[in-house]
Amino acid sequence: MTRTISSLAEERYRDSQSSTFPLPTDPSNSLPGALSAILSHKSCRAFLPSNLPPGTLETLISAAQSGSSSSLMQTWDVIAIQDPEHKSNVASLAADLDFIRQAPLFLVFCPNLRRLKNLSEQYGHQSADALDSMNMFIMSTVDSAIAAQNVAIAAESLGLGICYVGALRNNAEEVCKLLNLPPLTWGVFGMAIGYPDTENRRCGRRIKPRLPMREVLHFERWNEEGQKDNVESYDKALGTFYEEEAKFGRKGWGEFVAGMVASQDQGGREKVRQAIENQGFKLK
């Protein structure tokens, strides 16, 4: 089947209002590869034991470094983990997710203000007061996310599967120790990368629906009109998706996320601030 913006939007939303819009390109032209990769994204949680071709890692990092960077400060680094034993130790701290062990490559993205601290001292600015600000912390986190998303798009364009791993924050302090992360750095999230095991249901064979576009797209000013109906519509679309994936008995999305935010207990992530402060971030 020919992949088009319209067909991919239909899969992504399963909502006629969200997937019916004018095409910004000539329908006779082929869909650009990067756009196809973005619209086709599926998280992969099952990988084949195949090694990645030589140069894959370097290509992915080149893509990461091609992302936008606030004021060209380039406040992120990444740790590539390929050794099976080391990868298993990381997995044990990240909710014991076995697909981390399966994937031939696991990347840990690290906001990094340490390099700026070192340069400040090198050029005689001993205080580096700006590094204590919440703004700089946010900037380094955003830059890390931009770099990671470029990696995700590049990897999927190469036929690889990826899965972000926020569970790295379940034991944020222990991860910093395991990876020997110095002050003013920390592991904000990881990404498993490898060839999808398409025979495994966890590899992500269908595009998972998202909230209707009308729920997240605001014109000129914020507007929450219709939110209840939009969420109910999404509950139905996502419920159908789970049934197709033979995942029965799932709660509706609205009820699920309400439960997720009902408790302070976040599987260890409620201690992230302390771990960040222990790494020297002041968050002023």
Side-chain angles (χ1 to χ4, degrees):
M1 182 180 73
T2 302
R3 309 296 274 175
T4 65
I5 294 174
S6 295
S7 67
L8 290 169
E10 287 173 7
E11 290 186 63
R12 177 61 70 197
Y13 293 109
R14 301 188 180 207
D15 173 83
S16 59
Q17 287 182 265
S18 297
S19 57
T20 303
F21 50 84
L23 298 181
T25 61
D26 188 328
S28 64
N29 293 340
S30 59
L31 185 62
L35 186 55
S36 178
I38 292 169
L39 296 179
S40 302
H41 165 71
K42 302 179 287 291
S43 292
C44 177
R45 295 179 176 84
F47 298 94
L48 296 172
S50 307
N51 292 327
L52 303 180
T56 300
L57 172 60
E58 292 80 3
T59 299
L60 297 179
I61 301 307
S62 295
Q65 292 193 273
S66 297
S68 297
S69 173
S70 181
S71 300
L72 199 60
M73 289 194 180
Q74 304 174 77
T75 51
W76 63 272
D77 285 46
V78 64
I79 297 178
I81 301 174
Q82 298 167 299
D83 177 75
E85 183 178 354
H86 189 35
K87 192 147 42 75
S88 182
N89 290 336
V90 173
S92 296
L93 295 176
D96 207 30
L97 296 171
D98 203 47
F99 68 79
I100 295 175
R101 298 182 178 93
Q102 293 175 1
L105 175 63
F106 188 70
L107 300 180
V108 177
F109 288 85
C110 303
N112 177 13
L113 298 183
R114 181 178 177 81
R115 183 161 41 242
L116 301 185
K117 174 73 170 177
N118 292 342
L119 289 170
S120 179
E121 293 174 355
Q122 179 180 334
Y123 287 94
H125 302 287
Q126 297 297 322
S127 60
D129 290 339
L131 298 182
D132 292 341
S133 71
M134 178 66 79
N135 176 63
M136 291 292 289
F137 176 79
I138 292 172
M139 185 181 74
S140 63
T141 304
V142 170
D143 271 15
S144 298
I146 290 171
Q149 188 60 13
N150 265 23
V151 169
I153 294 168
E156 291 178 334
S157 297
L158 292 171
L160 301 171
I162 71 99
C163 190
Y164 279 93
V165 178
L168 209 65
R169 299 190 296 277
N170 288 16
N171 293 286
E173 195 160 0
E174 290 83 352
V175 167
C176 289
K177 293 175 182 176
L178 178 63
L179 301 183
N180 196 33
L181 297 184
L184 296 181
T185 70
W186 73 293
V188 62
F189 53 77
M191 183 185 294
I193 302 173
Y195 288 105
D197 180 359
T198 56
E199 298 300 315
N200 190 313
R201 188 186 305 160
R202 293 179 61 79
C203 83
R205 291 174 290 184
R206 291 179 177 85
I207 293 175
K208 184 180 288 187
R210 295 294 195 261
L211 283 164
M213 188 184 295
R214 60 187 175 277
E215 172 61 22
V216 303
L217 175 61
H218 306 262
F219 292 96
E220 312 304 337
R221 288 174 177 81
W222 192 273
N223 181 3
E224 293 184 0
E225 183 179 353
Q227 183 174 94
K228 185 174 184 293
D229 290 340
N230 292 338
V231 172
E232 288 179 355
S233 175
Y234 180 56
D235 280 345
K236 293 177 182 177
L238 190 59
T240 300
F241 166 83
Y242 282 135
E243 288 177 2
E244 292 170 354
E245 291 283 295
K247 298 176 180 178
F248 302 107
R250 297 288 184 106
K251 293 180 180 179
W253 179 82
E255 184 181 359
F256 168 72
V257 297
M260 289 285 288
V261 301
S263 171
Q264 286 285 349
D265 184 4
Q266 299 174 51
R269 300 186 205 190
E270 68 278 2
K271 298 181 288 186
V272 163
R273 184 186 181 99
Q274 186 60 56
I276 290 168
E277 291 177 342
N278 289 345
Q279 286 297 108
F281 293 93
K282 302 297 185 183
L283 310 180
K284 291 182 179 178

